[in-house]
Amino acid sequence: MKVSLLSRLAILVLVAGSVAGCANTIRGVGKDAANAVDATQSAGRDISRSTY
């Protein structure tokens, strides 16, 4: 059974959309992780300053 050209294009568009969505999610997770590290470092600095 042959897959028509239109079906192949539709599949390609769906795969490309899915990959783009995953890339955005991965970028978002990276930003969240960076923010968590920044917040932890800031909290550590605040604690060390309060002990003086």
Side-chain angles (χ1 to χ4, degrees):
M1 180 177 190
K2 289 187 175 182
V3 180
S4 71
L5 179 61
L6 185 58
S7 296
R8 288 182 185 181
L9 288 174
I11 291 170
L12 181 63
V13 168
L14 289 173
V15 169
S18 296
V19 169
C22 290
N24 286 335
T25 301
I26 292 169
R27 244 183 261 127
V29 169
K31 288 180 182 178
D32 290 344
N35 287 339
V37 169
D38 291 342
T40 303
Q41 289 175 343
S42 176
R45 281 192 294 270
D46 291 345
I47 290 172
S48 73
R49 286 183 194 137
S50 69
T51 59
Y52 290 123

mmCIF file of all heavy atoms in Angstrom:
data_model
loop_
_atom_site.group_PDB
_atom_site.id
_atom_site.type_symbol
_atom_site.label_atom_id
_atom_site.label_comp_id
_atom_site.label_asym_id
_atom_site.label_seq_id
_atom_site.Cartn_x
_atom_site.Cartn_y
_atom_site.Cartn_z
ATOM 1 N N MET A 1 0.849 -1.181 0.000
ATOM 2 C CA MET A 1 0.000 0.000 0.000
ATOM 3 C C MET A 1 0.891 1.239 0.000
ATOM 4 O O MET A 1 1.755 1.405 0.846
ATOM 5 C CB MET A 1 -0.891 -0.029 1.230
ATOM 6 C CG MET A 1 -1.816 1.121 1.348
ATOM 7 S SD MET A 1 -2.855 0.882 2.805
ATOM 8 C CE MET A 1 -3.987 2.166 2.531
ATOM 9 N N LYS A 2 0.664 2.105 -0.940
ATOM 10 C CA LYS A 2 1.481 3.307 -1.048
ATOM 11 C C LYS A 2 0.870 4.440 -0.217
ATOM 12 O O LYS A 2 -0.342 4.579 -0.136
ATOM 13 C CB LYS A 2 1.570 3.759 -2.505
ATOM 14 C CG LYS A 2 2.420 2.858 -3.360
ATOM 15 C CD LYS A 2 2.595 3.458 -4.725
ATOM 16 C CE LYS A 2 3.543 2.625 -5.545
ATOM 17 N NZ LYS A 2 3.786 3.203 -6.860
ATOM 18 N N VAL A 3 1.747 5.219 0.383
ATOM 19 C CA VAL A 3 1.322 6.387 1.145
ATOM 20 C C VAL A 3 1.389 7.580 0.201
ATOM 21 O O VAL A 3 2.402 7.817 -0.453
ATOM 22 C CB VAL A 3 2.235 6.603 2.367
ATOM 23 C CG1 VAL A 3 1.801 7.811 3.147
ATOM 24 C CG2 VAL A 3 2.247 5.366 3.246
ATOM 25 N N SER A 4 0.310 8.314 0.146
ATOM 26 C CA SER A 4 0.268 9.440 -0.788
ATOM 27 C C SER A 4 1.193 10.564 -0.331
ATOM 28 O O SER A 4 1.621 10.623 0.827
ATOM 29 C CB SER A 4 -1.158 9.965 -0.911
ATOM 30 O OG SER A 4 -1.529 10.627 0.279
ATOM 31 N N LEU A 5 1.499 11.429 -1.255
ATOM 32 C CA LEU A 5 2.375 12.569 -0.965
ATOM 33 C C LEU A 5 1.760 13.464 0.096
ATOM 34 O O LEU A 5 2.453 13.943 0.997
ATOM 35 C CB LEU A 5 2.633 13.365 -2.253
ATOM 36 C CG LEU A 5 3.519 14.598 -2.110
ATOM 37 C CD1 LEU A 5 4.898 14.208 -1.609
ATOM 38 C CD2 LEU A 5 3.618 15.346 -3.415
ATOM 39 N N LEU A 6 0.449 13.659 0.037
ATOM 40 C CA LEU A 6 -0.235 14.504 1.024
ATOM 41 C C LEU A 6 -0.121 13.902 2.427
ATOM 42 O O LEU A 6 0.111 14.625 3.401
ATOM 43 C CB LEU A 6 -1.703 14.684 0.631
ATOM 44 C CG LEU A 6 -2.521 15.627 1.492
ATOM 45 C CD1 LEU A 6 -1.889 17.020 1.488
ATOM 46 C CD2 LEU A 6 -3.950 15.695 0.997
ATOM 47 N N SER A 7 -0.244 12.586 2.527
ATOM 48 C CA SER A 7 -0.109 11.926 3.830
ATOM 49 C C SER A 7 1.309 12.085 4.373
ATOM 50 O O SER A 7 1.502 12.334 5.568
ATOM 51 C CB SER A 7 -0.441 10.449 3.712
ATOM 52 O OG SER A 7 -1.776 10.267 3.351
ATOM 53 N N ARG A 8 2.280 11.949 3.516
ATOM 54 C CA ARG A 8 3.676 12.118 3.945
ATOM 55 C C ARG A 8 3.933 13.535 4.441
ATOM 56 O O ARG A 8 4.607 13.740 5.449
ATOM 57 C CB ARG A 8 4.631 11.797 2.807
ATOM 58 C CG ARG A 8 4.710 10.343 2.485
ATOM 59 C CD ARG A 8 5.699 10.100 1.382
ATOM 60 N NE ARG A 8 5.688 8.697 0.996
ATOM 61 C CZ ARG A 8 6.452 8.183 0.087
ATOM 62 N NH1 ARG A 8 7.325 8.950 -0.565
ATOM 63 N NH2 ARG A 8 6.384 6.907 -0.212
ATOM 64 N N LEU A 9 3.395 14.512 3.730
ATOM 65 C CA LEU A 9 3.571 15.909 4.155
ATOM 66 C C LEU A 9 2.878 16.166 5.490
ATOM 67 O O LEU A 9 3.423 16.863 6.365
ATOM 68 C CB LEU A 9 3.045 16.862 3.084
ATOM 69 C CG LEU A 9 3.890 16.970 1.821
ATOM 70 C CD1 LEU A 9 3.180 17.840 0.779
ATOM 71 C CD2 LEU A 9 5.259 17.528 2.135
ATOM 72 N N ALA A 10 1.688 15.596 5.652
ATOM 73 C CA ALA A 10 0.957 15.781 6.912
ATOM 74 C C ALA A 10 1.741 15.176 8.075
ATOM 75 O O ALA A 10 1.849 15.785 9.148
ATOM 76 C CB ALA A 10 -0.427 15.163 6.811
ATOM 77 N N ILE A 11 2.293 13.999 7.873
ATOM 78 C CA ILE A 11 3.097 13.346 8.920
ATOM 79 C C ILE A 11 4.331 14.174 9.236
ATOM 80 O O ILE A 11 4.682 14.371 10.407
ATOM 81 C CB ILE A 11 3.470 11.916 8.496
ATOM 82 C CG1 ILE A 11 2.216 11.037 8.476
ATOM 83 C CG2 ILE A 11 4.531 11.330 9.411
ATOM 84 C CD1 ILE A 11 2.415 9.686 7.843
ATOM 85 N N LEU A 12 4.979 14.687 8.217
ATOM 86 C CA LEU A 12 6.167 15.516 8.413
ATOM 87 C C LEU A 12 5.848 16.768 9.220
ATOM 88 O O LEU A 12 6.586 17.136 10.142
ATOM 89 C CB LEU A 12 6.769 15.901 7.063
ATOM 90 C CG LEU A 12 8.033 16.751 7.100
ATOM 91 C CD1 LEU A 12 9.161 15.994 7.774
ATOM 92 C CD2 LEU A 12 8.429 17.157 5.703
ATOM 93 N N VAL A 13 4.729 17.403 8.909
ATOM 94 C CA VAL A 13 4.321 18.612 9.640
ATOM 95 C C VAL A 13 4.017 18.276 11.096
ATOM 96 O O VAL A 13 4.416 19.012 12.014
ATOM 97 C CB VAL A 13 3.109 19.280 8.954
ATOM 98 C CG1 VAL A 13 2.493 20.342 9.832
ATOM 99 C CG2 VAL A 13 3.520 19.862 7.614
ATOM 100 N N LEU A 14 3.347 17.162 11.345
ATOM 101 C CA LEU A 14 3.034 16.774 12.723
ATOM 102 C C LEU A 14 4.297 16.456 13.523
ATOM 103 O O LEU A 14 4.432 16.867 14.675
ATOM 104 C CB LEU A 14 2.097 15.566 12.728
ATOM 105 C CG LEU A 14 0.670 15.838 12.277
ATOM 106 C CD1 LEU A 14 -0.104 14.538 12.150
ATOM 107 C CD2 LEU A 14 -0.022 16.777 13.242
ATOM 108 N N VAL A 15 5.226 15.754 12.906
ATOM 109 C CA VAL A 15 6.483 15.425 13.598
ATOM 110 C C VAL A 15 7.271 16.697 13.893
ATOM 111 O O VAL A 15 7.798 16.876 15.001
ATOM 112 C CB VAL A 15 7.313 14.425 12.769
ATOM 113 C CG1 VAL A 15 8.716 14.282 13.328
ATOM 114 C CG2 VAL A 15 6.621 13.074 12.725
ATOM 115 N N ALA A 16 7.345 17.597 12.920
ATOM 116 C CA ALA A 16 8.077 18.851 13.127
ATOM 117 C C ALA A 16 7.439 19.675 14.248
ATOM 118 O O ALA A 16 8.143 20.257 15.078
ATOM 119 C CB ALA A 16 8.122 19.660 11.832
ATOM 120 N N GLY A 17 6.120 19.704 14.287
ATOM 121 C CA GLY A 17 5.429 20.432 15.356
ATOM 122 C C GLY A 17 5.685 19.830 16.718
ATOM 123 O O GLY A 17 5.883 20.542 17.703
ATOM 124 N N SER A 18 5.700 18.509 16.776
ATOM 125 C CA SER A 18 5.966 17.829 18.048
ATOM 126 C C SER A 18 7.384 18.100 18.532
ATOM 127 O O SER A 18 7.612 18.359 19.716
ATOM 128 C CB SER A 18 5.767 16.325 17.886
ATOM 129 O OG SER A 18 4.431 16.038 17.576
ATOM 130 N N VAL A 19 8.334 18.048 17.630
ATOM 131 C CA VAL A 19 9.735 18.307 17.998
ATOM 132 C C VAL A 19 9.899 19.754 18.472
ATOM 133 O O VAL A 19 10.596 20.011 19.456
ATOM 134 C CB VAL A 19 10.673 17.993 16.811
ATOM 135 C CG1 VAL A 19 12.080 18.488 17.066
ATOM 136 C CG2 VAL A 19 10.670 16.507 16.532
ATOM 137 N N ALA A 20 9.242 20.678 17.801
ATOM 138 C CA ALA A 20 9.332 22.085 18.216
ATOM 139 C C ALA A 20 8.734 22.266 19.607
ATOM 140 O O ALA A 20 9.269 23.013 20.437
ATOM 141 C CB ALA A 20 8.632 22.971 17.201
ATOM 142 N N GLY A 21 7.638 21.587 19.882
ATOM 143 C CA GLY A 21 7.019 21.671 21.208
ATOM 144 C C GLY A 21 7.930 21.120 22.286
ATOM 145 O O GLY A 21 8.033 21.679 23.379
ATOM 146 N N CYS A 22 8.607 20.022 21.990
ATOM 147 C CA CYS A 22 9.545 19.441 22.957
ATOM 148 C C CYS A 22 10.726 20.374 23.204
ATOM 149 O O CYS A 22 11.200 20.498 24.329
ATOM 150 C CB CYS A 22 10.049 18.100 22.451
ATOM 151 S SG CYS A 22 8.803 16.805 22.455
ATOM 152 N N ALA A 23 11.199 21.017 22.160
ATOM 153 C CA ALA A 23 12.334 21.934 22.310
ATOM 154 C C ALA A 23 11.961 23.089 23.229
ATOM 155 O O ALA A 23 12.757 23.493 24.083
ATOM 156 C CB ALA A 23 12.774 22.451 20.944
ATOM 157 N N ASN A 24 10.744 23.609 23.082
ATOM 158 C CA ASN A 24 10.305 24.697 23.952
ATOM 159 C C ASN A 24 10.191 24.221 25.394
ATOM 160 O O ASN A 24 10.550 24.941 26.322
ATOM 161 C CB ASN A 24 8.959 25.249 23.476
ATOM 162 C CG ASN A 24 9.090 26.075 22.227
ATOM 163 O OD1 ASN A 24 10.143 26.625 21.957
ATOM 164 N ND2 ASN A 24 8.033 26.155 21.455
ATOM 165 N N THR A 25 9.700 23.007 25.598
ATOM 166 C CA THR A 25 9.575 22.464 26.949
ATOM 167 C C THR A 25 10.950 22.286 27.584
ATOM 168 O O THR A 25 11.156 22.628 28.747
ATOM 169 C CB THR A 25 8.832 21.116 26.906
ATOM 170 O OG1 THR A 25 7.544 21.331 26.336
ATOM 171 C CG2 THR A 25 8.683 20.520 28.281
ATOM 172 N N ILE A 26 11.900 21.766 26.830
ATOM 173 C CA ILE A 26 13.250 21.554 27.356
ATOM 174 C C ILE A 26 13.892 22.885 27.712
ATOM 175 O O ILE A 26 14.542 23.028 28.753
ATOM 176 C CB ILE A 26 14.102 20.765 26.344
ATOM 177 C CG1 ILE A 26 13.570 19.339 26.239
ATOM 178 C CG2 ILE A 26 15.570 20.769 26.734
ATOM 179 C CD1 ILE A 26 14.137 18.546 25.095
ATOM 180 N N ARG A 27 13.679 23.896 26.873
ATOM 181 C CA ARG A 27 14.213 25.227 27.176
ATOM 182 C C ARG A 27 13.595 25.770 28.462
ATOM 183 O O ARG A 27 14.285 26.367 29.295
ATOM 184 C CB ARG A 27 13.913 26.180 26.016
ATOM 185 C CG ARG A 27 15.147 26.664 25.345
ATOM 186 C CD ARG A 27 14.839 27.653 24.242
ATOM 187 N NE ARG A 27 14.878 26.931 22.975
ATOM 188 C CZ ARG A 27 13.939 26.915 22.066
ATOM 189 N NH1 ARG A 27 12.844 27.613 22.226
ATOM 190 N NH2 ARG A 27 14.073 26.218 20.965
ATOM 191 N N GLY A 28 12.297 25.560 28.627
ATOM 192 C CA GLY A 28 11.609 26.031 29.828
ATOM 193 C C GLY A 28 12.120 25.351 31.087
ATOM 194 O O GLY A 28 12.302 25.991 32.126
ATOM 195 N N VAL A 29 12.367 24.049 30.991
ATOM 196 C CA VAL A 29 12.910 23.319 32.139
ATOM 197 C C VAL A 29 14.299 23.843 32.480
ATOM 198 O O VAL A 29 14.645 24.002 33.654
ATOM 199 C CB VAL A 29 12.942 21.798 31.843
ATOM 200 C CG1 VAL A 29 13.746 21.045 32.890
ATOM 201 C CG2 VAL A 29 11.535 21.244 31.761
ATOM 202 N N GLY A 30 15.092 24.139 31.461
ATOM 203 C CA GLY A 30 16.425 24.691 31.706
ATOM 204 C C GLY A 30 16.363 26.027 32.419
ATOM 205 O O GLY A 30 17.136 26.291 33.346
ATOM 206 N N LYS A 31 15.422 26.872 32.002
ATOM 207 C CA LYS A 31 15.271 28.177 32.660
ATOM 208 C C LYS A 31 14.806 28.009 34.100
ATOM 209 O O LYS A 31 15.270 28.712 35.003
ATOM 210 C CB LYS A 31 14.282 29.044 31.885
ATOM 211 C CG LYS A 31 14.822 29.559 30.580
ATOM 212 C CD LYS A 31 13.802 30.407 29.866
ATOM 213 C CE LYS A 31 14.323 30.886 28.525
ATOM 214 N NZ LYS A 31 13.309 31.676 27.808
ATOM 215 N N ASP A 32 13.864 27.070 34.334
ATOM 216 C CA ASP A 32 13.388 26.824 35.695
ATOM 217 C C ASP A 32 14.514 26.325 36.589
ATOM 218 O O ASP A 32 14.632 26.745 37.743
ATOM 219 C CB ASP A 32 12.246 25.808 35.684
ATOM 220 C CG ASP A 32 10.970 26.368 35.069
ATOM 221 O OD1 ASP A 32 10.865 27.602 34.941
ATOM 222 O OD2 ASP A 32 10.084 25.568 34.724
ATOM 223 N N ALA A 33 15.348 25.436 36.057
ATOM 224 C CA ALA A 33 16.464 24.914 36.842
ATOM 225 C C ALA A 33 17.458 26.035 37.173
ATOM 226 O O ALA A 33 17.960 26.113 38.298
ATOM 227 C CB ALA A 33 17.161 23.793 36.076
ATOM 228 N N ALA A 34 17.723 26.893 36.207
ATOM 229 C CA ALA A 34 18.634 28.012 36.453
ATOM 230 C C ALA A 34 18.067 28.952 37.511
ATOM 231 O O ALA A 34 18.802 29.433 38.381
ATOM 232 C CB ALA A 34 18.904 28.772 35.156
ATOM 233 N N ASN A 35 16.778 29.198 37.449
ATOM 234 C CA ASN A 35 16.150 30.061 38.453
ATOM 235 C C ASN A 35 16.211 29.425 39.836
ATOM 236 O O ASN A 35 16.395 30.129 40.838
ATOM 237 C CB ASN A 35 14.699 30.347 38.076
ATOM 238 C CG ASN A 35 14.586 31.306 36.915
ATOM 239 O OD1 ASN A 35 15.511 32.050 36.617
ATOM 240 N ND2 ASN A 35 13.462 31.278 36.223
ATOM 241 N N ALA A 36 16.044 28.109 39.911
ATOM 242 C CA ALA A 36 16.123 27.427 41.201
ATOM 243 C C ALA A 36 17.529 27.541 41.784
ATOM 244 O O ALA A 36 17.697 27.764 42.985
ATOM 245 C CB ALA A 36 15.718 25.966 41.049
ATOM 246 N N VAL A 37 18.538 27.403 40.939
ATOM 247 C CA VAL A 37 19.923 27.537 41.403
ATOM 248 C C VAL A 37 20.171 28.959 41.896
ATOM 249 O O VAL A 37 20.765 29.161 42.963
ATOM 250 C CB VAL A 37 20.912 27.159 40.277
ATOM 251 C CG1 VAL A 37 22.333 27.550 40.641
ATOM 252 C CG2 VAL A 37 20.821 25.674 39.967
ATOM 253 N N ASP A 38 19.701 29.948 41.149
ATOM 254 C CA ASP A 38 19.872 31.337 41.563
ATOM 255 C C ASP A 38 19.186 31.604 42.901
ATOM 256 O O ASP A 38 19.743 32.273 43.773
ATOM 257 C CB ASP A 38 19.323 32.289 40.503
ATOM 258 C CG ASP A 38 20.149 32.286 39.231
ATOM 259 O OD1 ASP A 38 21.309 31.823 39.270
ATOM 260 O OD2 ASP A 38 19.621 32.750 38.194
ATOM 261 N N ALA A 39 17.982 31.084 43.063
ATOM 262 C CA ALA A 39 17.250 31.296 44.313
ATOM 263 C C ALA A 39 17.961 30.626 45.481
ATOM 264 O O ALA A 39 18.032 31.193 46.586
ATOM 265 C CB ALA A 39 15.828 30.759 44.184
ATOM 266 N N THR A 40 18.497 29.441 45.265
ATOM 267 C CA THR A 40 19.216 28.733 46.322
ATOM 268 C C THR A 40 20.485 29.489 46.713
ATOM 269 O O THR A 40 20.780 29.639 47.902
ATOM 270 C CB THR A 40 19.578 27.315 45.848
ATOM 271 O OG1 THR A 40 18.387 26.635 45.459
ATOM 272 C CG2 THR A 40 20.268 26.527 46.935
ATOM 273 N N GLN A 41 21.213 29.991 45.729
ATOM 274 C CA GLN A 41 22.423 30.757 46.031
ATOM 275 C C GLN A 41 22.083 32.046 46.761
ATOM 276 O O GLN A 41 22.779 32.435 47.707
ATOM 277 C CB GLN A 41 23.176 31.063 44.743
ATOM 278 C CG GLN A 41 23.836 29.862 44.134
ATOM 279 C CD GLN A 41 24.489 30.160 42.800
ATOM 280 O OE1 GLN A 41 24.195 31.170 42.167
ATOM 281 N NE2 GLN A 41 25.366 29.285 42.355
ATOM 282 N N SER A 42 21.011 32.694 46.357
ATOM 283 C CA SER A 42 20.593 33.926 47.025
ATOM 284 C C SER A 42 20.194 33.657 48.474
ATOM 285 O O SER A 42 20.558 34.416 49.376
ATOM 286 C CB SER A 42 19.426 34.550 46.256
ATOM 287 O OG SER A 42 18.945 35.690 46.913
ATOM 288 N N ALA A 43 19.474 32.560 48.693
ATOM 289 C CA ALA A 43 19.075 32.207 50.058
ATOM 290 C C ALA A 43 20.306 31.893 50.891
ATOM 291 O O ALA A 43 20.380 32.287 52.065
ATOM 292 C CB ALA A 43 18.129 31.014 50.032
ATOM 293 N N GLY A 44 21.275 31.215 50.313
ATOM 294 C CA GLY A 44 22.510 30.925 51.038
ATOM 295 C C GLY A 44 23.251 32.182 51.424
ATOM 296 O O GLY A 44 23.782 32.304 52.535
ATOM 297 N N ARG A 45 23.315 33.153 50.500
ATOM 298 C CA ARG A 45 23.972 34.434 50.810
ATOM 299 C C ARG A 45 23.230 35.167 51.912
ATOM 300 O O ARG A 45 23.840 35.740 52.817
ATOM 301 C CB ARG A 45 24.058 35.297 49.564
ATOM 302 C CG ARG A 45 25.177 34.897 48.627
ATOM 303 C CD ARG A 45 25.413 35.936 47.549
ATOM 304 N NE ARG A 45 24.271 36.060 46.636
ATOM 305 C CZ ARG A 45 24.099 35.363 45.530
ATOM 306 N NH1 ARG A 45 24.995 34.457 45.169
ATOM 307 N NH2 ARG A 45 23.045 35.545 44.762
ATOM 308 N N ASP A 46 21.895 35.150 51.859
ATOM 309 C CA ASP A 46 21.107 35.820 52.894
ATOM 310 C C ASP A 46 21.358 35.207 54.259
ATOM 311 O O ASP A 46 21.474 35.915 55.262
ATOM 312 C CB ASP A 46 19.614 35.760 52.558
ATOM 313 C CG ASP A 46 19.239 36.603 51.353
ATOM 314 O OD1 ASP A 46 20.061 37.458 50.949
ATOM 315 O OD2 ASP A 46 18.129 36.409 50.811
ATOM 316 N N ILE A 47 21.445 33.889 54.306
ATOM 317 C CA ILE A 47 21.690 33.209 55.579
ATOM 318 C C ILE A 47 23.090 33.528 56.096
ATOM 319 O O ILE A 47 23.275 33.801 57.280
ATOM 320 C CB ILE A 47 21.498 31.686 55.415
ATOM 321 C CG1 ILE A 47 20.013 31.393 55.209
ATOM 322 C CG2 ILE A 47 22.027 30.932 56.617
ATOM 323 C CD1 ILE A 47 19.713 29.960 54.839
ATOM 324 N N SER A 48 24.074 33.539 55.198
ATOM 325 C CA SER A 48 25.431 33.805 55.654
ATOM 326 C C SER A 48 25.573 35.252 56.130
ATOM 327 O O SER A 48 26.330 35.540 57.052
ATOM 328 C CB SER A 48 26.451 33.496 54.559
ATOM 329 O OG SER A 48 26.422 34.463 53.544
ATOM 330 N N ARG A 49 24.839 36.158 55.511
ATOM 331 C CA ARG A 49 24.894 37.568 55.962
ATOM 332 C C ARG A 49 24.221 37.741 57.323
ATOM 333 O O ARG A 49 24.622 38.594 58.108
ATOM 334 C CB ARG A 49 24.197 38.462 54.943
ATOM 335 C CG ARG A 49 24.991 38.674 53.687
ATOM 336 C CD ARG A 49 24.278 39.639 52.755
ATOM 337 N NE ARG A 49 24.870 39.576 51.445
ATOM 338 C CZ ARG A 49 24.226 39.548 50.298
ATOM 339 N NH1 ARG A 49 22.919 39.608 50.293
ATOM 340 N NH2 ARG A 49 24.863 39.480 49.164
ATOM 341 N N SER A 50 23.193 36.958 57.594
ATOM 342 C CA SER A 50 22.466 37.119 58.847
ATOM 343 C C SER A 50 23.224 36.570 60.050
ATOM 344 O O SER A 50 22.871 36.853 61.179
ATOM 345 C CB SER A 50 21.098 36.443 58.766
ATOM 346 O OG SER A 50 21.252 35.041 58.709
ATOM 347 N N THR A 51 24.264 35.790 59.794
ATOM 348 C CA THR A 51 25.024 35.209 60.911
ATOM 349 C C THR A 51 26.108 36.145 61.430
ATOM 350 O O THR A 51 26.758 35.835 62.421
ATOM 351 C CB THR A 51 25.664 33.869 60.502
ATOM 352 O OG1 THR A 51 26.531 34.085 59.395
ATOM 353 C CG2 THR A 51 24.606 32.840 60.162
ATOM 354 N N TYR A 52 26.333 37.268 60.758
ATOM 355 C CA TYR A 52 27.377 38.190 61.216
ATOM 356 C C TYR A 52 26.948 38.964 62.408
ATOM 357 O O TYR A 52 25.941 39.358 62.676
ATOM 358 C CB TYR A 52 27.775 39.180 60.099
ATOM 359 C CG TYR A 52 28.516 38.515 58.969
ATOM 360 C CD1 TYR A 52 28.037 38.598 57.664
ATOM 361 C CD2 TYR A 52 29.690 37.819 59.192
ATOM 362 C CE1 TYR A 52 28.717 38.008 56.612
ATOM 363 C CE2 TYR A 52 30.378 37.224 58.165
ATOM 364 C CZ TYR A 52 29.891 37.317 56.873
ATOM 365 O OH TYR A 52 30.564 36.730 55.840
#
